């Protein structure tokens, strides 16, 4: 029960990594607020987990309606009297439009960067005063290895995640005086519906070719690292950018080709 009675808000939390974080935090004793656009889906998740003895609630949040970030923070604080943990999980990209520097339209680029960065900036800006009133807290940003390793495509997504990595460090620096920590978790290729639906089999095969742990990560495995940052186990850890990608991009750039050579022998 590492999060017993902690109030946790998780954005984009009805599926994938967000849902895995909801389940893990709830089973560790937290009061979890699912911040979601689809409240019916959130209610179904909450009902399922509450039947197990968890304490899961939901609050409206739509990344396209920026005013809902501050509104959701205020609503949760009004109901609970504190906010201990904020998990900024929202992130989006359209791989069919978010391409390389030559092919990506400006509107696609700027809209993707805007919505992804805003989802971290606005929630963090709104929650910090309330966390300070409660004596501190933990902000966890779900970024991506795409923010530290340039790709041949998805220029907008990678740029937004690189910015979120910097935001993580500067929030950690500026909020530390209020006993607020901020860290980022950077998943590699993770077996979510979004990955299955949006990425081609060819791309997935190529990505995993350069991943020493030769498989996609599971949402539950990302949630395990998130739990560490949400709990008091990481009370003296802030400003960290943690790669949870099975080692993607860690070895020599020749790694994938060398593995192919050995397999052909």
């Amino acid at each position: 029960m590492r999060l017993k009675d902690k109030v946790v808000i998780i954005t984009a939390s009805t599926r994938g990594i967000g849902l895995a974080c909801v389940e893990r935090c709830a089973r560790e004793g937290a009061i979890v607020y699912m911040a979601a656009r689809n409240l019916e889906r959130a209610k179904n998740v909450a009902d399922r987990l509450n039947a197990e003895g968890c304490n899961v609630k939901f609050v409206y949040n739509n990344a396209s309606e920026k005013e809902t970030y501050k509104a959701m923070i205020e609503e949760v604080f009004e109901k609970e009297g504190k906010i201990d943990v904020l998990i900024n999980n929202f992130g989006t990209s359209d791989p069919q439009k978010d391409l390389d520097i030559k092919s990506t339209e400006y509107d696609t680029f700027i809209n993707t960067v805007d919505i992804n960065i805003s989802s971290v900036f606005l929630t963090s800006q709104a929650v910090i005063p309330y966390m300070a009133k409660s004596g501190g807290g933990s902000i966890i940003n779900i970024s991506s290895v795409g923010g530290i390793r340039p790709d041949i495509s998805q220029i907008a997504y990678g740029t937004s995640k690189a910015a979120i990595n910097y935001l993580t460090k500067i929030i950690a620096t500026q909020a530390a005086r209020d006993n607020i920590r901020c860290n980022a978790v950077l998943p590699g290729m993770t077996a979510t519906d979004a990955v299955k639906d949006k990425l081609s089999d060819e791309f997935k095969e190529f990505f995993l070719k350069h991943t020493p742990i030769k498989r996609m990560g599971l949402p539950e495995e990302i949630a395990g690292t998130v739990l560490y940052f949400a709990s008091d186990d990481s009370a003296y850890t802030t400003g960290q950018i943690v790669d949870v990608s099975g080692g993607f991009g860690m070895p020599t750039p020749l790694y994938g080709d060398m593995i192919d050579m050995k397999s052909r022998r």
Side-chain angles (χ1 to χ4, degrees), residues 23 69 96 101 107 118 128 147 158 187 208 231-232 259:
E23 293 173 339
Y69 284 115
Q96 304 303 315
I101 186 65
D107 284 348
S118 294
I128 283 172
L208 294 177
S231 75
D232 292 338
I259 292 296

Side-chain angles (χ1 to χ4, degrees), residues 100-112:
D100 60 16
I101 186 65
K102 295 185 293 183
S103 307
T104 303
E105 294 184 1
Y106 176 75
D107 284 348
T108 296
F109 177 82
I110 205 66
N111 290 338
T112 302

Side-chain angles (χ1 to χ4, degrees), residues 84-162:
D84 299 294
V85 179
L86 169 66
I87 301 170
N88 286 316
N89 176 63
F90 176 82
T92 189
S93 172
D94 183 349
Q96 304 303 315
K97 296 180 179 180
D98 185 7
L99 305 169
D100 60 16
I101 186 65
K102 295 185 293 183
S103 307
T104 303
E105 294 184 1
Y106 176 75
D107 284 348
T108 296
F109 177 82
I110 205 66
N111 290 338
T112 302
V113 169
D114 177 41
I115 197 168
N116 285 347
I117 295 177
S118 294
S119 71
V120 172
F121 176 83
L122 291 174
T123 46
S124 300
Q125 185 182 59
V127 83
I128 283 172
Y130 294 108
M131 283 186 170
K133 289 180 183 179
S134 307
S138 176
I139 299 172
I140 304 152
N141 299 324
I142 308 301
S143 180
S144 168
V145 291
I148 57 174
R149 298 192 180 97
D151 202 345
I152 60 172
S153 187
Q154 290 196 285
I155 186 170
Y157 183 77
T159 298
S160 69
K161 292 301 184 177

Side-chain angles (χ1 to χ4, degrees), residues 14 31 48 50 56 70 87 91 100 108 115 131 133 145 168 175 178 188 195 199 201 210 227 256:
T14 60
I31 302 166
R48 171 173 61 83
N50 290 340
V56 179
K70 185 176 181 181
I87 301 170
D100 60 16
T108 296
I115 197 168
M131 283 186 170
K133 289 180 183 179
V145 291
T168 298
D178 292 315
V195 167
L199 300 181
D201 290 340
H210 295 275
L227 173 63

Side-chain angles (χ1 to χ4, degrees), residues 6-20:
K6 288 185 182 290
V7 176
V8 178
I9 301 174
I10 306 172
T11 64
S13 50
T14 60
R15 60 179 63 184
I17 292 171
L19 176 57

Side-chain angles (χ1 to χ4, degrees), residues 9-248:
I9 301 174
I10 306 172
T11 64
S13 50
T14 60
R15 60 179 63 184
I17 292 171
L19 176 57
C21 290
V22 169
E23 293 173 339
R24 191 65 186 272
C25 291
R27 289 169 180 152
E28 290 285 345
I31 302 166
V32 178
Y33 274 83
M34 300 177 65
R37 179 178 59 183
N38 189 327
L39 294 182
E40 181 179 356
R41 186 181 295 157
K43 182 180 183 301
N44 291 337
V45 173
D47 288 346
R48 171 173 61 83
L49 290 170
N50 290 340
E52 299 177 14
C54 296
N55 191 349
V56 179
K57 307 176 184 182
F58 46 91
V59 61
Y60 182 72
N61 173 243
N62 186 337
S64 298
E65 300 169 10
K66 293 180 180 177
E67 67 276 8
T68 65
Y69 284 115
K70 185 176 181 181
M72 85 175 173
I73 297 295
E74 292 174 344
E75 180 177 340
V76 173
F77 187 83
E78 182 178 339
K79 289 179 177 178
E80 304 297 338
K82 66 171 185 170
I83 299 171
D84 299 294
V85 179
L86 169 66
I87 301 170
N88 286 316
N89 176 63
F90 176 82
T92 189
S93 172
D94 183 349
Q96 304 303 315
K97 296 180 179 180
D98 185 7
L99 305 169
D100 60 16
I101 186 65
K102 295 185 293 183
S103 307
T104 303
E105 294 184 1
Y106 176 75
D107 284 348
T108 296
F109 177 82
I110 205 66
N111 290 338
T112 302
V113 169
D114 177 41
I115 197 168
N116 285 347
I117 295 177
S118 294
S119 71
V120 172
F121 176 83
L122 291 174
T123 46
S124 300
Q125 185 182 59
V127 83
I128 283 172
Y130 294 108
M131 283 186 170
K133 289 180 183 179
S134 307
S138 176
I139 299 172
I140 304 152
N141 299 324
I142 308 301
S143 180
S144 168
V145 291
I148 57 174
R149 298 192 180 97
D151 202 345
I152 60 172
S153 187
Q154 290 196 285
I155 186 170
Y157 183 77
T159 298
S160 69
K161 292 301 184 177
I164 287 169
N165 294 342
Y166 178 77
L167 265 175
T168 298
K169 289 181 176 290
I170 202 163
I171 291 169
T173 300
Q174 296 177 356
R177 69 193 70 181
D178 292 315
N179 195 33
I180 296 169
R181 299 177 290 112
C182 186
N183 295 282
V185 175
L186 282 59
M189 185 174 288
T190 307
T192 64
D193 291 340
V195 167
K196 294 173 186 176
D197 295 342
K198 291 184 177 182
L199 300 181
S200 68
D201 290 340
E202 181 182 17
F203 179 83
K204 286 182 274 193
E205 181 181 353
F206 181 76
F207 191 99
L208 294 177
K209 176 181 175 182
H210 295 275
T211 303
I213 298 180
K214 304 287 288 184
R215 62 173 176 81
M216 285 191 273
L218 301 176
E220 295 79 8
E221 292 170 322
I222 309 303
T225 303
V226 171
L227 173 63
Y228 167 70
F229 285 129
S231 75
D232 292 338
D233 291 345
S234 59
Y236 198 56
T237 304
T238 195
Q240 297 307 298
I241 310 296
V242 178
D243 178 334
V244 187
S245 66
F248 174 74

